[in-house]
Amino acid sequence: MAAIEVLDLTKTYGELQAVDAVSLEVAEGEFVGILGPNGAGKTTLLEMVEGLRRPDAGTATVLGLPVWPRNADLLPRMGVQLQASAFFERLTAREQLHTFASLYAVPSATADEWLERVGLDDKAGTRVEDLSGGQAQRLSIACALVHDPDVVFLDEPTAALDPQARRNLWDLLSGLNNSGRTVVLTTHYMDEAEVLCDRVAIMDSGRILQVDSPAALIRRLDAPARITVAPGAVGLEEARGIAAVDDVQESVDGVVLTTRDPAHVVARLAERDQLDGVRVQTGTLEDVFLDLTGREYRA
Amino acid sequence: MSSTSGRPSSRSAFVALSVAIFKGFLRDKGAVFFALVFPLMFLVLFGGIFSDQDQSKVDLIQVGDVALVDDLPEGAAEAFADTFEVTTSDDLADALEQVRKGDADVAIEQRGDELVAHYTQTEQVKSAITQGTLRAFVDATNVAQLAAQTGEQPAYSFEAVSVEDDSLTAIQFVTPGLLGWAVAMSASFGAAATLQGWRQSKLLRRLQLSPVSTSTMVGARVAVTIAVALIQMAIFLGLGSVAFGLTLSGSWWMAIPTLVVGTLCFMAIGLLAGAIAKTTEGAVNMANFFVLPMAFLSGSFFPLDAAPAWLRAFSNVLPLKHLNEAMLDVMVRGEGPSAALVPIAVLAAFAIVVTAVAARLFRWDTA
């Protein structure tokens, strides 16, 4: 059974078609990312799936139950982290988590375990206003998970974090679906979607353009690989002579060989000991986005 | 995978939310200041100033023999002793010097049939009391002597009765009014700030996605506001009685339900401000914009008796006026419990109408 079924969800704000007939199915235990630039409609889509917003058209069900109107039987099985830090003012990290635990009839001991799991046990007595961005995000994720929900929605959990804090948070997020939990996250970071998600839905201008695993999306793109070696490591004419090389360019970085068979080309270069400073770039999700929308990705 | 948790009992969720909100209030220095410290400053100010003026006696130096004072009839002698703190002296120059320096308020001497009072104009209140009182005693003595000579009773007699003793000294009047203002502020600011703050942080949305009903959420906020109002009342009445001699009349307990309904009414005004404004600061400022002028026009700071008739008529559309009047009636004017019933009904009607308007304007999101 699908954990989440979305069919033709549509939402319009005045002139703006925020979400345009989006359909999506998420299997139980799957980690799905909705990737797109700001303003793509990710949050509006997520809020309709959570049951926060009434869709203009279409339906969304979670665990087989319709999310609209508000269904008090479904809510305890859903965990939600919203974009802003939705906290009670002036409570400490522990008090915050205990309050949310009480709303779900979860014992305080479980709440304390979660504090430890998100690495905030040494910040237990710190007020939420005094937590760093990363710590606040960890706390709000703990608040979303404290009642051990079957389905978790995370709306841009790493937005506004520095790269270090973002990677720290990935460690926490990557194991979330291990025990069969279904996770849906929105992000505008390509690398984040690639690292965390089983499948990625690429969204732009209110529509989902493609859904697949990151590897399959890139493979389908059928983009050539670019092999770069140090300047002078290989002569231009010599490089053009290697089988399967489609194009050779010289740049300040060095010599760039374009090919659809990087394994073969690297092997040939290795035979001649011409691998000085080698770097192989295959297609990225950015290329996928460019291919799908015809424009550069700007988060 | 099965959930280990379920829907909480609404009671435990109610308690958890109430505790969270109450802690948030206690740790908000600004909110505590405006709910308690600020109004109490006014109470100390008003209670202190006015009780000082109507309680201290006039220091009087009697130079040599003053037959008028020495021969006062028994009742008049008592009244004289209530007004004046009398010391005697034989040295007029020294007595005048004391008055000049402010150590004494007045020096009196008798020259033949003339009573001469020496005082300074710097203490206007006391010099007015001195002149008026001494003149009254002289008149009274004249009348008594005339009556003794002619054997006739005077047609008119005069008895001075201080108004304050029988009804409202300053502290009696200012305590209910300032308490009404304090509760109006904390209830409306609290509701406005919570609604805006929770909306901005999306906590409102987050709670909507928890299995807690809206009525439990609203109930917790109402319970905390009422608790704060009752704490304000306890502190006001406690400080007023202990420090400033506030005495409550018989059915003062009726002020409790009055205050509770008043709290609901001002919460509704705060909700309205929170629904209209776009930021937390804006919401609190708007609540203040409603409450502060209302406090002036509702007699929280000074009585409206001297105000023009149109202003007094206008004040009747202000809920704080009804809250203040009801609390004055039952706390210090000695009215029965029923005196508060009509104001309670008026406040409840305000609360319902304003809540309905706020609910119409309510939005879940800032956008």
Side-chain angles (χ1 to χ4, degrees):
Chain A
M1 185 193 77
I4 300 168
E5 270 179 295
V6 171
L7 195 64
D8 285 334
L9 274 187
T10 299
K11 186 82 187 176
T12 311
Y13 295 118
E15 294 283 287
L16 179 73
Q17 186 80 16
V19 174
D20 187 2
V22 165
S23 296
L24 179 69
E25 202 165 294
V26 180
E28 238 174 83
E30 210 178 5
F31 199 131
V32 168
I34 299 170
L35 173 69
N38 285 330
K42 304 186 299 287
T43 298
T44 306
L45 172 63
L46 201 66
E47 288 184 344
M48 284 193 288
V49 179
E50 290 163 348
L52 271 184
R53 278 179 204 286
R54 179 181 203 160
D56 294 341
T59 56
T61 60
V62 171
L63 300 167
L65 298 167
V67 294
W68 188 275
R70 189 173 183 271
N71 183 343
D73 290 319
L74 176 60
L75 295 176
R77 301 179 66 191
M78 281 175 29
V80 185
Q81 190 226 13
L82 303 174
Q83 219 169 60
S85 290
F87 292 134
F88 292 95
E89 300 100 330
R90 292 174 288 281
L91 292 197
T92 67
R94 170 177 284 130
E95 288 168 342
Q96 197 73 237
L97 197 47
H98 281 197
T99 305
F100 273 102
S102 303
L103 302 185
Y104 290 90
V106 170
S108 301
T110 313
D112 287 335
E113 278 169 33
W114 267 104
L115 210 55
E116 204 171 323
R117 273 175 79 175
V118 298
L120 286 177
D121 35 344
D122 58 332
K123 294 284 172 189
T126 305
R127 290 196 195 171
V128 289
E129 290 85 358
D130 298 329
L131 295 176
S132 71
Q135 290 162 347
Q137 290 290 30
R138 286 167 178 277
L139 181 61
S140 85
I141 289 168
C143 289
L145 293 170
V146 69
H147 58 291
D148 194 18
D150 298 334
V151 178
V152 183
F153 297 99
L154 307 169
D155 197 0
E156 307 221 344
T158 65
L161 296 188
D162 61 68
Q164 180 65 41
R166 220 149 61 79
R167 281 183 169 69
N168 288 343
L169 208 56
W170 289 356
D171 295 338
L172 173 67
L173 295 175
S174 64
L176 278 188
N177 61 331
N178 285 351
S179 49
R181 182 182 285 131
T182 308
V183 183
V184 177
L185 135 161
T186 65
T187 182
H188 57 248
Y189 294 112
M190 297 277 177
D191 52 351
E192 185 164 295
E194 215 167 331
V195 167
L196 292 173
C197 301
D198 299 330
R199 282 196 304 150
V200 175
I202 296 182
M203 192 166 184
D204 190 46
S205 306
R207 316 188 70 131
I208 285 185
L209 305 173
Q210 234 171 54
V211 193
D212 212 330
S213 70
L217 284 170
I218 293 163
R219 216 179 303 126
R220 191 180 309 162
L221 186 62
D222 197 25
R226 287 147 55 88
I227 300 167
T228 310
V229 292
V234 60
L236 294 186
E237 283 312 310
E238 195 185 355
R240 286 200 179 95
I242 299 172
V245 169
D246 298 331
D247 186 33
V248 178
Q249 299 279 329
E250 196 166 25
S251 77
V252 284
D253 289 345
V255 184
V256 182
L257 297 76
T258 307
T259 175
R260 291 185 182 274
D261 191 355
H264 173 79
V265 175
V266 170
R268 293 289 87 73
L269 289 171
E271 281 166 12
R272 305 173 204 186
D273 198 16
Q274 289 171 331
L275 280 180
D276 197 13
V278 71
R279 207 166 73 241
V280 181
Q281 289 166 287
T282 55
T284 62
L285 284 178
E286 274 180 76
D287 298 320
V288 176
F289 187 83
L290 177 68
D291 184 57
L292 290 172
T293 64
R295 57 188 172 85
E296 295 278 330
Y297 187 83
R298 299 245 188 279
Chain B
M1 189 171 110
S2 69
S3 284
T4 54
S5 57
R7 298 175 65 171
S9 73
S10 57
R11 190 163 164 271
S12 67
F14 173 80
V15 171
L17 283 173
S18 302
V19 169
I21 296 168
F22 191 61
K23 278 182 179 167
F25 165 74
L26 286 182
R27 290 171 190 174
D28 183 351
K29 293 192 182 73
V32 172
F33 179 80
F34 279 109
L36 288 175
V37 183
F38 194 49
L40 281 177
M41 281 162 52
F42 277 75
L43 185 73
V44 170
L45 206 64
F46 287 1
I49 291 172
F50 296 130
S51 64
D52 204 39
Q53 281 194 356
D54 55 29
Q55 276 173 15
S56 78
K57 290 184 183 178
V58 177
D59 288 320
L60 179 144
I61 304 176
Q62 180 184 330
V63 182
D65 286 335
V66 179
L68 181 87
V69 176
D70 294 338
D71 300 341
L72 280 172
E74 201 166 305
E78 214 167 89
F80 192 86
D82 277 347
T83 310
F84 297 106
E85 188 74 51
V86 183
T87 50
T88 52
S89 163
D90 289 329
D91 186 346
L92 180 63
D94 176 61
L96 292 181
E97 184 59 25
Q98 283 193 47
V99 172
R100 206 168 287 127
K101 284 198 286 188
D103 295 339
D105 296 307
V106 61
I108 54 170
E109 58 171 328
Q110 193 161 356
R111 296 179 189 160
D113 284 343
E114 199 180 15
L115 180 70
V116 182
H118 306 270
Y119 58 88
T120 79
Q121 288 287 4
T122 43
E123 279 269 17
Q124 290 194 1
V125 175
K126 283 185 176 171
S127 69
I129 293 172
T130 307
Q131 287 187 56
T133 315
L134 288 177
R135 191 162 286 136
F137 280 114
V138 171
D139 289 348
T141 309
N142 284 342
V143 169
Q145 284 186 0
L146 204 63
Q149 284 164 16
T150 59
E152 282 175 28
Q153 289 299 312
Y156 300 101
S157 68
F158 172 76
E159 193 185 1
V161 176
S162 163
V163 186
E164 282 77 11
D165 290 335
D166 273 3
S167 66
L168 299 181
T169 60
I171 190 68
Q172 303 285 88
F173 175 79
V174 298
T175 306
L178 287 176
L179 176 59
W181 173 55
V183 167
M185 272 202 301
S186 66
S188 60
F189 291 12
T194 302
L195 182 58
Q196 264 299 330
W198 286 18
R199 181 157 60 200
Q200 302 241 316
S201 74
K202 288 205 174 189
L203 183 61
L204 217 50
R205 286 298 205 180
R206 179 64 189 82
L207 292 176
Q208 201 193 2
L209 286 178
S210 77
V212 177
S213 67
T214 310
S215 57
T216 305
M217 275 162 58
V218 174
R221 179 65 253 195
V222 169
V224 171
T225 311
I226 289 176
V228 170
L230 294 178
I231 291 170
Q232 288 173 302
M233 184 181 191
I235 293 177
F236 265 76
L237 300 191
L239 188 76
S241 325
V242 172
F244 303 113
L246 171 73
T247 43
L248 295 173
S249 59
S251 42
W252 69 272
W253 51 266
M254 194 62 188
I256 295 173
T258 310
L259 203 64
V260 169
V261 180
T263 302
L264 295 178
C265 179
F266 282 96
M267 273 195 83
I269 289 173
L271 284 180
L272 183 64
I276 298 171
K278 295 200 161 42
T279 63
T280 310
E281 292 75 17
V284 172
N285 287 343
M286 190 173 296
N288 206 5
F289 177 74
F290 290 143
V291 171
L292 191 61
M294 199 192 299
F296 274 98
L297 301 178
S298 301
S300 274
F301 303 121
F302 44 79
L304 291 177
D305 306 340
W310 63 267
L311 188 60
R312 272 178 283 146
F314 172 72
S315 73
N316 284 323
V317 305
L318 304 174
L320 188 53
K321 157 78 184 296
H322 298 276
L323 178 62
N324 287 344
E325 283 298 315
M327 291 205 297
L328 277 169
D329 280 349
V330 296
M331 284 166 73
V332 294
R333 282 182 185 147
E335 303 264 346
S338 59
L341 292 179
V342 171
I344 285 178
V346 172
L347 289 168
F350 264 109
I352 291 166
V353 171
V354 177
T355 305
V357 175
R360 276 197 80 87
L361 296 173
F362 173 79
R363 302 174 311 268
W364 280 98
D365 297 289
T366 43

